[in-house]
Amino acid sequence: MAPAEAFDRARVILADMGKAVIHAGANGAGQAAKICNNMILGATMIATCEAFVLAEKLGLDAQAFYDIASVSSGQSWSMTTYAPLPGIGPDTPADHDYQGGFAAALMLKDLRLAMAAAKDTGADTPMGAKAAERYEAFAEAGQGGLDFSAIIRTL
């Protein structure tokens, strides 16, 4: 664990880099939090993309579906802050042909780290594993440089 004094000195610098500066614990705890958080993000983005595609196939207007799901039980960061369709919600990489943002290759890197950690610890992570498989195929298809929300193109 980083000594409180060292953490307090770093807090000033870290505060400029993110919304929250939280002491996660012993060395490696921050990395563990990052890969676990990004495992959630990867899986929820795929679920969000699937829901938008299904909504369209069911005849729902994408904006109407967003307006409903973004204030209902389907609400998530992937839905309300990073909607994977252009013109829906706030400006996201989807509005810029999936350029910029968090590259799918970086999402895959974090999902691989999460799957390695799951294997090492005996954790059962079937949703994380499926997300890793989907991003692996996406990257292998030459799409790793696009934002991770571009995974919607595979659906």
Side-chain angles (χ1 to χ4, degrees):
M1 182 175 292
E5 182 181 292
F7 179 74
D8 287 340
R9 281 194 318 264
R11 180 188 306 270
V12 176
I13 296 165
L14 296 173
D16 290 336
M17 300 169 67
K19 292 182 207 171
V21 179
I22 300 167
H23 190 257
N27 286 342
Q31 174 74 3
K34 178 183 184 286
I35 64 174
C36 291
N37 183 73
N38 282 356
M39 184 176 76
I40 293 170
L41 179 58
T44 58
M45 180 55 77
I46 292 170
T48 300
C49 292
E50 289 175 352
F52 271 111
V53 170
L54 179 59
E56 178 187 8
K57 290 179 183 275
L58 291 170
L60 291 172
D61 174 74
Q63 184 65 56
F65 173 63
Y66 172 85
D67 291 345
I68 294 165
S70 67
V71 296
S72 300
S73 58
Q75 186 281 329
S76 68
W77 188 89
S78 295
M79 172 69 68
T80 58
T81 303
Y82 220 79
L85 286 177
I88 305 295
D91 188 69
T92 69
D95 295 302
H96 307 282
D97 200 29
Y98 302 98
Q99 299 300 310
F102 186 58
L106 293 175
M107 174 57 75
L108 176 58
K109 173 194 62 84
D110 284 349
L111 289 169
R112 285 176 177 157
L113 289 170
M115 293 306 95
K119 182 179 178 186
D120 290 348
T121 62
D124 186 21
T125 57
M127 297 299 289
K130 190 61 174 174
E133 288 175 23
R134 296 301 299 254
Y135 279 102
E136 183 84 43
F138 192 59
E140 286 177 1
Q143 305 301 302
L146 296 176
D147 182 73
F148 79 108
S149 64
I151 195 96
I152 196 168
R153 292 178 171 178
T154 66
L155 302 171

